[in-house]
Amino acid sequence: MFLNVPLGYQSLDENGNVLDVNPAWLEVLGYERDDVVGHSFSEFLDPAVADQFPERFARFLEEGETESVVWRMIRGDGTPRDISFECRVAQDPDGRFLRTHCILQDITERKRTEADNAQLNERLSKERDFLERLLDTAHAIILVLDPDGRIVRFNLYTGEISGYRLDEVRGADWCETFVPERDRERVRRLFLEAVDDIQTRGNINAIVTKNGREREIEWYDRTLKDSDGNVIGLLSVGQDVTERLRAERALRESEERFRVIASSTPDHVMVHDRDLRYTLVINPQLGLTEEGMIGKTDHDILSSEEADRVTAIKKRVLETGHPEHAEIALLSPEGEQEYFSGSLIPTHDSDGEVDGLIGYFRNVTEIRRAEGELRAMNEHLETLVEERTAEAVGANQAKSEFLASMSHELRTPLNSAIGFSGILLSGAPGELNDEQTRQLKMIQASGRGLLSLVDKILDLAKIEAETVDVELCETDINDLCGEALEHVRPLAEGMGVELRFTPCAKECPRCGLVMMDPGKLTQIVLNLLSNAVKYTSAGSVEFQVDCTGEGTMLVRVTDTGIGIEEEALELVFVEFVQVASEDEAKPQGTGLGLPISRKLAQLLGGDITVTSTPGSGSVFTLELPLRFAEDPPE
């Protein structure tokens, strides 16, 4: 913006290096821009005065402005020139240094002509106007008072904050107009100190705006003097800190509430900054004190190895912004190891950036000791279980062998009884009356039921003795399941239950032919279907075969029967356990069908699962791997 300013313009950083110059500056001093920018201003001064620059520049930075300072400078061609400077320090709204703005003029030949002086004064006036306009753009209160404390001028931002126009209060006493009565004596004293050339910085007091509201302002005051050193007023720069103070008060109140709440718990609470130094400690443990921990890191408190481990976790929380669980080991004053378990949670600043973390830890030493004792007890129990299991396996093997032997011994007389009753019922030996026929049918039915039970016990014994062989052959799954359905159809029709069969509808590589043990699959399917029919007094049983794309066959039996309670779902697969519904006086069956079916399914490489809704029905699903004739044996 200063390119076309008719006077020379330069801007310096806080170290006195040139940030920018305009063409007028280059013309006055005869340099190229690249020879100037980035160089120390002192390089262009007469060597006789160059060593004065650091001290005078530092004083200028403190005062914030200077008027009509003359430096003897050396032009690019080596000739000396007397250059007059008027400079001010530019600050951001928080009062921090940004850069200097300096207007310079070659006054070497000022006295040659009055015309040159007039032109110079006009230019200086324009520059002053420009700087005043520049101040009006500042987002800070800029106020000028005379030595008596009356308002001379203020910038636009002051008017926005206060609600007053300058012409409304020009000449008015600042304290009487803007300062609350409770603060007037203190503010007048500060004003007199500032006017007495005692600079004040960082004083905070309230001002009363036109609408009666108060705003908290932080002030930086500087005495204004004329060229003879006489005090002509006071320049005050103020920053509205109302919201900042309100936030600080809220933060202090929040911290106090947090401290009260945290102090009421047995937890050890710690707060860290980004450097992982303790900034707040509540309920310190094991002889540690808050005063002894504040400002320190874990390496000042923990053992080196433990500090490295815990610090790594805390750094990870700062980097990722995610909470983590952690455990800390400390030595008690008695030299015993104490354990603390808790969480490390990141904290965030107003911009959402992680600025530290907070930790909550509780002493779990007794819990760790109890866990150790429990582990020792569990190990002892596991040893006992292994010993008892070995004994049980032997006993179970003996039981299985006994059942297999006894089952064979029972089958012969049972088959004889069933056979002879059948001969008698045929009428070959002679005609029977109705009562004799009824009694013989009861004998035959009971014999068949007992034979079925013996067969199941024999099957179970064989499975447990691991003497069952799997005989695979090509089997049409749809045909097998359809035949099984026809076996239970009379039972279903007698109970008024509708049967529906949905064969596999997907294209199988061998059109339904898979390698399967048909006898065992038939036994499983018949058991699932007969169970579904028996426990469905009215409604339907749906039988579905499906081949998944993952090499698995599913046989699903869905009924609308009485259903099974959730807590009893796995009990249906336990041997000799019968699950009764609320309206059953005694459960049906022996409690062996489903356990044997699941064991057979597992023998075939699959499993049976069940889902159920009491009162609505159950779904039993048989899942088996698909094998084909060309597949290599497993």
Side-chain angles (χ1 to χ4, degrees):
M1 70 172 64
F2 298 97
L3 292 178
N4 298 320
V5 174
L7 294 179
Y9 165 81
Q10 74 177 25
S11 178
L12 305 182
D13 65 17
E14 59 186 349
N15 296 315
N17 296 320
V18 179
L19 292 175
D20 198 5
V21 296
N22 68 350
W25 192 101
L26 297 173
E27 181 180 356
V28 167
L29 293 169
Y31 289 96
E32 295 296 328
R33 181 179 183 81
D34 291 342
D35 298 328
V36 178
V37 175
H39 291 263
S40 172
F41 175 73
S42 62
E43 294 178 18
F44 307 100
L45 297 177
D46 188 319
V49 297
D51 60 347
Q52 301 174 15
F53 174 74
E55 180 181 354
R56 293 176 65 180
F57 184 73
R59 188 164 61 250
F60 159 63
L61 292 180
E62 291 180 358
E63 295 175 353
E65 63 179 350
T66 182
E67 295 181 2
S68 300
V69 173
V70 178
W71 287 99
R72 171 153 289 193
M73 301 185 68
I74 304 301
R75 279 177 49 86
D77 59 7
T79 60
R81 306 296 289 181
D82 291 326
I83 307 299
S84 175
F85 289 82
E86 292 203 10
C87 304
R88 296 197 180 192
V89 174
Q91 297 174 329
D92 66 13
D94 295 326
R96 292 189 293 265
F97 176 89
L98 291 176
R99 59 167 60 201
T100 68
H101 293 299
C102 296
I103 303 300
L104 60 89
Q105 185 176 10
D106 186 351
I107 60 172
T108 307
E109 302 181 15
R110 175 191 292 177
K111 296 181 180 180
R112 285 188 178 181
T113 61
E114 290 297 325
D116 289 342
N117 279 337
Q119 183 179 11
L120 175 62
N121 289 334
E122 182 180 356
R123 290 180 178 176
L124 289 174
S125 177
K126 289 180 180 180
E127 291 302 324
R128 289 193 185 96
D129 290 342
F130 170 76
L131 289 175
E132 288 183 354
R133 289 195 300 272
L134 189 64
L135 292 178
D136 277 338
T137 65
H139 195 72
I141 294 174
I142 300 177
L143 171 70
V144 178
L145 303 178
D146 68 14
D148 297 322
R150 291 187 295 270
I151 300 170
V152 176
R153 67 153 297 153
F154 53 65
N155 66 345
L156 293 178
Y157 183 76
T158 305
E160 294 173 3
I161 289 291
S162 67
Y164 288 100
R165 299 190 313 276
L166 177 61
D167 58 8
E168 291 181 278
V169 292
R170 191 194 301 272
D173 185 277
W174 169 259
C175 290
E176 294 294 331
T177 306
F178 286 97
V179 179
E181 186 175 356
R182 65 178 183 275
D183 293 335
R184 285 176 188 167
E185 182 178 351
R186 179 176 65 87
V187 174
R188 285 190 187 280
R189 184 173 65 253
L190 292 172
F191 171 77
L192 293 176
E193 289 177 357
V195 171
D196 197 30
D197 210 13
I198 300 175
Q199 308 305 314
T200 59
R201 300 171 62 86
N203 294 308
I204 297 177
N205 67 266
I207 65 170
V208 180
T209 64
K210 189 173 183 178
N211 61 13
R213 295 181 179 177
E214 292 190 7
R215 307 292 296 181
E216 297 288 340
I217 309 298
E218 184 174 19
W219 296 99
Y220 296 84
D221 301 320
R222 179 110 13 222
T223 302
L224 297 177
K225 299 179 182 180
D226 62 18
S227 58
D228 296 326
N230 299 315
V231 174
I232 60 174
L234 182 72
L235 172 65
S236 294
V237 178
Q239 189 68 42
D240 186 352
V241 295
T242 306
E243 298 305 323
R244 189 192 79 191
L245 295 180
R246 185 176 296 139
E248 290 174 353
R249 284 193 293 269
L251 179 60
R252 287 194 298 271
E253 293 171 359
S254 175
E255 288 178 347
E256 185 59 30
R257 286 195 298 270
F258 171 75
R259 182 182 289 273
V260 170
I261 293 172
S263 298
S264 65
T265 73
D267 292 340
H268 169 50
V269 182
M270 62 187 75
V271 179
H272 292 281
D273 59 19
R274 277 203 64 87
D275 296 326
L276 294 180
R277 297 189 179 276
Y278 290 91
T279 60
L280 177 65
V281 180
I282 299 174
N283 297 333
Q285 305 286 319
L286 304 181
L288 296 171
T289 64
E290 182 176 0
E291 294 77 12
M293 296 178 70
I294 296 298
K296 295 182 178 179
T297 68
D298 288 326
H299 285 87
D300 301 317
I301 298 170
L302 305 177
S303 66
S304 177
E305 182 179 352
E306 185 69 2
D308 289 342
R309 185 184 67 82
V310 175
T311 299
I313 299 174
K314 293 179 179 179
K315 286 182 177 179
R316 192 161 60 241
V317 172
L318 292 179
E319 292 169 359
T320 65
H322 298 301
E324 287 202 25
H325 175 78
E327 291 197 355
I328 300 176
L330 287 172
L331 283 178
S332 69
E334 294 77 22
E336 295 183 359
Q337 194 84 307
E338 300 276 337
Y339 298 95
F340 294 82
S341 178
S343 298
L344 295 168
I345 303 170
T347 58
H348 301 81
D349 59 21
S350 58
D351 296 325
E353 298 294 327
V354 175
D355 63 354
L357 59 85
I358 183 169
Y360 301 87
F361 286 85
R362 180 167 295 183
N363 194 321
V364 294
T365 306
E366 293 304 320
I367 296 176
R368 291 291 178 269
R369 289 172 183 163
E371 288 175 347
E373 295 173 358
L374 183 59
R375 279 194 299 270
M377 184 181 297
N378 286 339
E379 290 172 359
H380 176 64
L381 289 175
E382 287 175 1
T383 302
L384 291 177
V385 168
E386 289 175 359
E387 294 173 354
R388 299 300 182 266
T389 300
E391 295 173 0
V393 168
N396 190 58
Q397 181 70 22
K399 178 206 72 173
S400 297
E401 293 173 357
F402 171 77
L403 287 176
S405 175
M406 288 302 298
S407 296
H408 283 295
E409 295 297 329
L410 290 172
R411 288 172 63 89
T412 299
L414 281 174
N415 281 324
S416 297
I418 293 170
F420 284 126
S421 63
I423 293 172
L424 292 173
L425 285 171
S426 69
E431 187 175 349
L432 301 174
N433 60 36
D434 292 342
E435 181 61 22
Q436 291 172 328
T437 300
R438 188 180 70 81
Q439 294 289 346
L440 283 171
K441 286 182 177 179
M442 289 176 59
I443 292 172
Q444 193 177 54
S446 297
R448 286 173 176 166
L450 185 56
L451 182 61
S452 174
L453 176 59
V454 170
D455 286 339
K456 290 179 178 178
I457 293 174
L458 184 58
D459 287 341
L460 182 61
K462 287 182 178 179
I463 293 172
E464 292 181 346
E466 298 182 353
T467 59
V468 178
D469 295 324
V470 176
E471 299 176 357
L472 299 179
C473 63
E474 283 194 325
T475 304
D476 190 309
I477 299 300
N478 287 331
D479 289 349
L480 184 148
C481 291
E483 292 172 3
L485 189 73
E486 294 305 317
H487 274 286
V488 298
R489 188 175 296 280
L491 176 63
E493 291 176 350
M495 297 183 65
V497 176
E498 179 187 358
L499 290 179
R500 292 197 294 268
F501 177 44
T502 304
C504 179
K506 297 184 179 179
E507 292 293 333
C508 292
R510 302 295 294 271
C511 301
L513 289 177
V514 298
M515 296 302 293
M516 184 60 62
D517 186 323
K520 293 178 179 58
L521 179 57
T522 299
Q523 185 176 348
I524 296 170
V525 171
L526 283 175
N527 186 270
L528 294 178
L529 285 172
S530 59
N531 270 4
V533 172
K534 283 192 294 184
Y535 287 98
T536 304
S537 58
S540 64
V541 172
E542 185 170 345
F543 186 30
Q544 181 181 6
V545 179
D546 191 14
C547 295
T548 70
E550 300 177 355
T552 303
M553 178 187 75
L554 300 177
V555 177
R556 189 174 290 110
V557 178
T558 305
D559 64 59
T560 59
I562 58 177
I564 306 169
E565 297 291 340
E566 182 177 358
E567 59 271 16
L569 286 177
E570 283 303 311
L571 292 178
V572 300
F573 296 111
V574 178
E575 298 156 13
F576 300 106
V577 174
Q578 297 170 292
V579 178
S581 62
E582 295 181 354
D583 57 356
E584 276 190 302
K586 181 180 183 303
Q588 302 180 47
T590 62
L592 287 174
L594 286 173
I596 291 174
S597 295
R598 171 174 264 190
K599 289 179 182 293
L600 290 175
Q602 292 169 347
L603 195 63
L604 295 174
D607 198 5
I608 298 176
T609 57
V610 59
T611 59
S612 184
T613 302
S616 298
S618 305
V619 179
F620 284 83
T621 302
L622 168 64
E623 182 175 350
L624 294 173
L626 282 173
R627 299 185 182 93
F628 303 101
E630 67 273 13
D631 290 343
E634 295 183 359

